[in-house]
Amino acid sequence: MPEPVRGGSLVRLRAGWFALPAHDERAAAAVRDGGVLTCVDALRFHELWVPPGHCGLHLRRSTNLTGVNVACRPFGGSLRTATRAVDPVPVALAYAARCLSDEEWIAVGDSYLNLTGKTRADLRSELRGAGRTVERRIAKTDRRAQSGTESIARVRLRSAGFDVTVQPYVEGVGWADLRIGRLLIECDSVLHHATRTGYANDRRRDRRALVDGWLTLRLTYDDVLYGWDAVLADIKAVTARDRHRARSAKHRAMLQRSVLMSTGEGTSPEDGSDGTDLSTAVD
């Protein structure tokens, strides 16, 4: 037994792998089970937004090792040699492709791009060879997204056929999460209303938006993650009556200013739609 282990300054996890006494327990569990931490557990370790659920230990291991937990597998690419107990984000994303649904993976990808400032092109390069499923998901990521709930709402709304603008700028209000015509959709995270100031500021923004001619729909974390059918029905009810369309000259001018200010402030995506949905929002 090495002297540091006998002295208590290192903890032996398995042959050739050691940890400091104050180590990450899930990473240590993955190493003890013959692998390294990857997939959603590694993404959480790197402090990215990860959807709820997905319990159990997420690890990968070489084929010559065995363990209690089922190892995660990517859709494509060769097994990468592990040099540390927790996979870097690109490797973890490749291995999360099977464990996460399309919308969940895209939301995590949004979180990664937003946190690092990287582009879709960067992500494609980092995940080269990960397979067609991953390629298709990368094309739907958007680094402007500010929360996982916003990302999932965007993906679901676009899948339902809505023309959705991401992070539009609204004069007198500031940046909103999503926009369909003149309908603003704000997607609050679990901690969004943790302060009295934040709660009051949202009400001020909603009031100003209403006075200026915008419609605001504010969604909670639970609305998006657990009550989406009702949310989608409400949005369809609003848009079916064309209440979201800019019919008056005032509303058309208001919407045009939002489009110009949003793209002018450097918020247009690097290779996707610019969100200029005037053709569908204005008659």
Side-chain angles (χ1 to χ4, degrees), residues 75 93-94 96-107 109-110 120 123-124 131-142 154:
F75 278 117
L93 282 171
R98 286 185 184 273
C99 292
L100 298 179
S101 66
D102 279 2
E103 64 185 29
E104 291 174 333
W105 195 98
I106 293 166
D110 286 356
R120 290 184 196 138
L123 191 54
R124 288 190 184 99
R132 292 182 180 178
T133 296
V134 171
E135 282 282 341
R136 176 172 49 79
R137 292 176 179 178
I138 290 174
K140 295 181 180 180
T141 58
D142 195 314
R154 178 191 83 240

Side-chain angles (χ1 to χ4, degrees), residues 77-101:
S78 58
L79 185 69
R80 308 177 190 217
T81 301
T83 58
R84 47 189 167 179
V86 181
D87 272 338
V89 172
V91 178
L93 282 171
Y95 278 83
R98 286 185 184 273
C99 292
L100 298 179
S101 66

Side-chain angles (χ1 to χ4, degrees), residues 39-108:
C39 194
V40 295
D41 279 332
L43 296 170
R44 287 193 190 100
F45 179 89
H46 292 295
E47 299 184 342
L48 299 184
W49 185 88
V50 175
H54 304 288
C55 301
L57 187 63
H58 292 259
L59 57 83
R60 66 181 180 95
R61 66 169 69 87
S62 59
T63 55
N64 63 325
L65 295 175
T66 60
V68 174
N69 294 277
V70 177
C72 299
R73 295 183 297 116
F75 278 117
S78 58
L79 185 69
R80 308 177 190 217
T81 301
T83 58
R84 47 189 167 179
V86 181
D87 272 338
V89 172
V91 178
L93 282 171
Y95 278 83
R98 286 185 184 273
C99 292
L100 298 179
S101 66
D102 279 2
E103 64 185 29
E104 291 174 333
W105 195 98
I106 293 166
V108 178

